[in-house]
Amino acid sequence: MMRVLLVEDDPSIAGALCEGLPRYGFSVDHVTTGAAALERFDGSELVLLDLGLPDADGIDICRRIRTTSDVPLIIITARSDEIERVVGLELGADDYVSKPFGLRELVARMRAVTRRGVPRSAESEAVAEPVGQRLGPLRIDRAARRAFVADAEVTLTPKEFDLLSLLAESPGVVLTREQLIASVWDSNWFGSTRTLDVHVGALRKKLVAAVEISTVRGVGFRLEPAGR
């Protein structure tokens, strides 16, 4: 797993990232201060750096990290000041994400900045490792929008893939019918909710050996690896 240093003092954001990022192949080391970040960034493969820290300005921490390391670094900020974001990028940050943000957006940016740091010669010589989230025999490659069971690709429609991807983000957690319809179709969806049942049924047939999608009557659906 890729080692990520998360520098974030907001417990709600940090908790969500510490829980969510490992599902995408990232190992998270969490600190809450700039001083701790300077002690711990060495050995990390990517840094997520909040600008609003209790003991230091994140811009200064970014500058100090860049004096000794070229580790990929993404700024996380609630600040709306464009000048500060530009300064961060000029000091060596590879990208920035504005709060509030979605986990999938952040993961996409993390993968993008780490790809930039790999020389093309190394990319061509390396043996490609399977990417994406693994749940037992199921592997989901969200960047390529592909799903595999035991490395055999499963053909999914766009909505089937979106539904599977959303359920798999929180294995074992019940997602309501309203959450699923709003996320996969539209928050203003006025069609029959039977559409959701049809797509869940299709996923069950296609992924029967890999995952179990349980119905929680009157609430929604829960996905878990088969056999758990």
Side-chain angles (χ1 to χ4, degrees), residues 23-44:
R23 296 199 295 268
Y24 291 84
F26 299 99
S27 172
V28 182
D29 179 17
H30 173 225
V31 298
T32 59
T33 65
L38 294 174
E39 292 177 356
R40 304 270 282 277
F41 77 86
D42 189 27
S44 299

Side-chain angles (χ1 to χ4, degrees), residues 120-199:
R120 291 188 178 274
S121 58
E123 285 185 308
S124 61
E125 293 172 6
V127 176
E129 290 290 333
V131 297
Q133 179 188 8
R134 281 198 177 274
L135 287 170
L138 173 67
R139 177 167 63 88
I140 303 172
D141 183 346
R142 291 178 173 83
R145 293 183 62 81
R146 302 170 74 186
F148 303 82
V149 173
D151 294 324
E153 185 166 5
V154 179
T155 302
L156 301 176
T157 68
K159 291 299 185 188
E160 288 171 357
F161 181 86
D162 291 341
L163 180 58
L164 172 63
S165 178
L166 184 60
L167 286 165
E169 279 189 6
S170 304
V173 175
V174 178
L175 298 183
T176 67
R177 299 176 71 89
E178 292 77 13
Q179 287 175 312
L180 294 168
I181 289 173
S183 297
V184 176
W185 281 269
D186 188 273
S187 58
N188 296 314
W189 172 262
F190 295 109
S192 170
T193 59
R194 176 66 180 163
T195 298
L196 173 59
D197 297 287
V198 170
H199 282 74

Side-chain angles (χ1 to χ4, degrees), residues 98-109:
S98 297
K99 300 177 184 177
F101 55 84
L103 180 60
R104 281 180 283 184
E105 175 195 0
L106 178 62
V107 168
R109 290 177 181 268

Side-chain angles (χ1 to χ4, degrees), residues 12-87:
S12 62
I13 294 176
L17 294 180
C18 287
E19 179 181 353
L21 288 176
R23 296 199 295 268
Y24 291 84
F26 299 99
S27 172
V28 182
D29 179 17
H30 173 225
V31 298
T32 59
T33 65
L38 294 174
E39 292 177 356
R40 304 270 282 277
F41 77 86
D42 189 27
S44 299
E45 296 173 271
L46 187 146
V47 175
L48 299 175
L49 175 63
D50 181 23
L51 289 187
L53 298 172
D55 65 332
D57 190 298
I59 292 292
D60 183 54
I61 300 302
C62 175
R63 178 185 59 78
R64 294 176 67 180
I65 288 175
R66 275 293 171 261
T67 60
T68 60
S69 173
D70 59 358
V71 60
L73 187 152
I74 297 177
I75 286 175
I76 299 175
T77 179
R79 301 178 186 176
S80 58
D81 191 338
E82 181 182 2
I83 293 177
E84 287 195 324
R85 294 199 296 267
V86 170
V87 169

